[in-house]
Amino acid sequence: MTSRHVWFAVAFFAAIVTTKANAEAEIDKLQGCLTIEDGSKERLDCYDGVVPPDPKPKPPAAKAIADCKFLKEEDERLGCFNRFLVKPPVAGKKGRAKVQPSK
């Protein structure tokens, strides 16, 4: 390998590691917003502080948390962030006793 290829490989690897570290730090900051009351303006302000809004006239459906910034309406944006960060409640196990039919 030439030194140019080695340099490119090192730069590429560093970019991947840095991007992943930044994304993890961003998620940690966003999860910190979950301590603020749900549905409040303060929680949305916290989210917007990490991922600043950039509204678009016709935003695509959010496929990643970063896509939430394109929503104009505050309630929609808050719901979008919550959809990615708040885990749905786990359904209880179906631990019913089996009843055998009478003979």
Side-chain angles (χ1 to χ4, degrees):
M1 242 191 227
T2 66
S3 63
R4 180 183 288 177
H5 287 106
V6 172
W7 174 250
F8 178 74
V10 169
F12 182 74
F13 180 72
I16 289 173
V17 171
T18 303
T19 301
K20 184 176 179 184
N22 288 342
E24 288 173 357
E26 187 175 87
I27 292 296
D28 290 341
K29 290 177 186 176
L30 288 168
Q31 287 176 334
C33 297
L34 295 175
T35 60
I36 301 170
E37 182 182 353
D38 187 21
S40 67
K41 176 78 168 124
E42 289 80 18
R43 185 185 273 193
L44 180 61
D45 290 342
C46 182
Y47 289 148
D48 287 346
V50 180
V51 181
D54 183 20
K56 292 190 175 188
K58 293 184 179 181
K63 295 181 182 174
I65 199 164
D67 296 339
C68 296
K69 69 181 179 181
F70 299 126
L71 297 170
K72 182 178 181 179
E73 295 296 320
E74 291 181 351
D75 290 338
E76 289 178 0
R77 203 164 60 251
L78 181 61
C80 181
F81 282 115
N82 283 342
R83 191 174 78 233
F84 286 102
L85 295 169
V86 178
K87 295 179 178 156
V90 178
K93 294 183 180 179
K94 297 180 182 178
R96 296 182 186 168
K98 293 183 180 179
V99 178
Q100 295 182 358
S102 58
K103 295 182 181 180

